[in-house]
């Protein structure tokens, strides 16, 4: 009998489900650890290849970083560390990440197709790679994270919000995006305990705003059916987390969203590729908003 094939999508989904379940009591999701600003993590980064990780890999590495209390967000494969003159210590366990190789062959069952690839009719085959945190190797000195002041963080977040051109109405008791009016409604900043709470909520609603047909055109009904609403909330959660990490905002746990946890777990348990789709859509939304902010800055 042949050796059973390894299901990379299921393995990573199980890892993220376990992280969600572990933090559900205190609403400590794997995408809202102590981000940036002297905290545990920023966007996971490969200092050898000089690139940031994206999509579901961000969640996987955040979860591992939180569980193991690694002080920095620097990751690389065994061979990459070795090529940089560092050595992974004996007994250290790597964290599984996924990447996709483009091929012209027919699409097999385990292919994950993201929005960018499908638009160019590219076929992507999932491949796994184990990576190790800088804290797991000898012979490397982690690079210090740049420390931003509160003023710098707030200014950067304001630039993303206002640079988007979104209509934002401040006032009222709750935060929401109203598709019929294409408006974001936010309570006044004084209703929040601190500025970071305000910005994490604003970026969540701004991620919803990107789904409009004139922007990222994110329609999850065909992909998730009756679970499309829960999937969209997950996209908004992840999009806000990615933006908060990039901006240095320490995202606050959204206890008002705790009611969504069971629905998110249901989506992930029923569909081993759901987290990959949600993370890909969230990355697309965050990139779209960052691009708008850069264009507004250059104007």
């Amino acid at each position: 009998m042949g050796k059973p094939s390894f299901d990379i999508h299921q393995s990573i989904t199980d890892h993220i489900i376990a992280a969600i379940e572990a933090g559900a009591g205190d609403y400590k999701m794997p995408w809202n650890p102590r981000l940036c600003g002297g905290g545990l993590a920023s966007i996971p980064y490969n200092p050898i290849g000089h690139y940031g990780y994206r999509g579901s890999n961000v969640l996987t590495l955040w979860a591992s970083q939180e569980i193991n209390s690694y002080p920095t967000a620097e990751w690389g494969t065994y061979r990459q560390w070795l090529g940089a003159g560092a050595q992974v210590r004996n007994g250290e366990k790597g964290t599984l990440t996924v990447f996709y190789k483009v091929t012209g062959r027919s699409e097999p069952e385990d292919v994950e197709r993201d929005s960018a690839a499908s638009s160019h009719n590219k076929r992507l085959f999932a491949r796994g790679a184990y990576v190790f945190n800088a804290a797991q190797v000898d012979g490397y000195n982690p690079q210090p994270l740049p420390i931003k002041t509160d003023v710098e963080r707030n200014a950067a977040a304001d630039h993303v919000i206002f640079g988007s051109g979104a209509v934002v109405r401040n006032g009222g008791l709750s935060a929401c995006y109203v598709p019929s009016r294409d408006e974001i409604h936010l309570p006044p900043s004084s209703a929040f305990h601190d500025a970071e709470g305000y910005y994490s909520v604003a970026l969540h609603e701004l991620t919803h705003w990107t789904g409009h047909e004139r922007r990222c055109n994110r329609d999850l009904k065909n992909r998730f059916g009756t679970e499309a609403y829960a999937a969209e909330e997950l996209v908004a959660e992840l999009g806000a987390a990615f933006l908060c990490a990039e901006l240095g905002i320490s995202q606050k746990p959204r206890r008002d969203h705790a009611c969504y946890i069971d629905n998110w777990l249901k989506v992930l348990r029923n569909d081993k590729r759901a987290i990959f789709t949600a993370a890909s859509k969230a990355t697309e939304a965050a990139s779209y908003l960052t691009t708008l902010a850069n264009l507004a800055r250059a104007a």
Side-chain angles (χ1 to χ4, degrees):
M1 183 179 293
K3 186 178 179 180
S5 60
F6 176 68
D7 191 331
I8 186 172
H9 293 103
Q10 191 64 63
S11 179
I12 289 177
T13 294
D14 290 344
H15 178 68
I16 294 174
I17 286 175
I20 292 174
E21 290 177 329
D26 297 322
Y27 195 67
K28 287 180 60 179
M29 296 296 95
W31 51 82
N32 57 25
R34 299 182 298 278
L35 302 179
C36 302
L40 258 182
S42 61
I43 292 290
Y45 178 73
N46 188 305
I48 301 104
H50 303 290
Y51 57 83
Y53 292 89
R54 294 167 60 85
S56 62
N57 288 333
V58 176
L59 309 183
T60 301
L61 297 177
W62 271 347
S64 288
Q65 191 172 353
E66 179 76 9
I67 291 169
N68 295 287
S69 299
Y70 295 140
T72 72
E74 296 175 283
W75 300 83
T77 65
Y78 184 94
R79 288 185 177 181
Q80 285 176 324
W81 287 122
L82 195 63
Q87 177 65 56
V88 176
R89 290 189 292 273
N90 287 335
E92 293 287 353
K93 293 183 178 181
T95 298
L96 180 63
T97 60
V98 63
F99 64 97
Y100 299 96
K101 296 189 70 174
V102 179
T103 179
R105 292 182 295 170
S106 298
E107 182 175 325
E109 182 179 353
D110 69 345
V111 168
E112 178 69 18
R113 185 191 292 271
D114 67 18
S115 57
S118 61
S119 66
H120 293 87
N121 295 318
K122 294 179 181 178
R123 301 186 185 279
L124 304 179
F125 287 73
R127 295 291 183 267
Y130 284 92
V131 296
F132 299 84
N133 188 270
Q136 297 177 277
V137 307
D138 293 322
Y140 175 76
N141 293 319
Q143 301 300 309
L145 288 174
I147 303 299
K148 297 180 181 178
T149 67
D150 289 341
V151 172
E152 289 173 326
R153 293 190 189 102
N154 295 349
D158 281 334
H159 195 74
V160 170
I161 295 169
F162 297 115
S164 70
V167 176
V168 179
R169 307 291 187 193
N170 288 286
L173 300 177
S174 61
C176 63
Y177 168 63
V178 184
S180 61
R181 302 182 65 175
D182 196 22
E183 294 178 352
I184 294 171
H185 292 190
L186 294 173
S189 57
S190 59
F192 296 85
H193 291 298
D194 51 35
E196 291 183 324
Y198 172 81
Y199 287 121
S200 62
V201 171
L203 293 171
H204 176 104
E205 303 305 336
L206 195 60
T207 303
H208 279 312
W209 176 86
T210 66
H212 193 281
E213 61 183 5
R214 296 199 306 269
R215 299 171 197 116
C216 295
N217 194 24
R218 188 171 59 249
D219 183 0
L220 301 179
K221 291 190 175 93
N222 290 334
R223 174 67 175 81
F224 292 101
T226 58
E227 296 174 344
Y229 179 78
E232 171 62 21
E233 284 297 333
L234 183 54
V235 170
E237 282 278 294
L238 301 181
F242 296 162
L243 288 166
C244 282
E246 291 177 4
L247 296 168
I249 300 293
S250 182
Q251 190 185 27
K252 300 298 182 181
R254 291 291 303 274
R255 297 188 183 278
D256 59 322
H257 281 182
C259 58
Y260 293 120
I261 292 176
D262 287 342
N263 290 332
W264 292 334
L265 288 172
K266 179 182 177 182
V267 170
L268 268 58
R269 289 183 178 125
N270 290 342
D271 184 348
K272 65 184 179 182
R273 293 185 178 89
I275 192 62
F276 297 88
T277 298
S280 175
K281 297 295 186 183
T283 299
E284 181 183 30
S287 297
Y288 178 82
L289 290 168
T290 300
T291 298
L292 288 182
N294 290 337
L295 289 173
R297 192 187 303 274

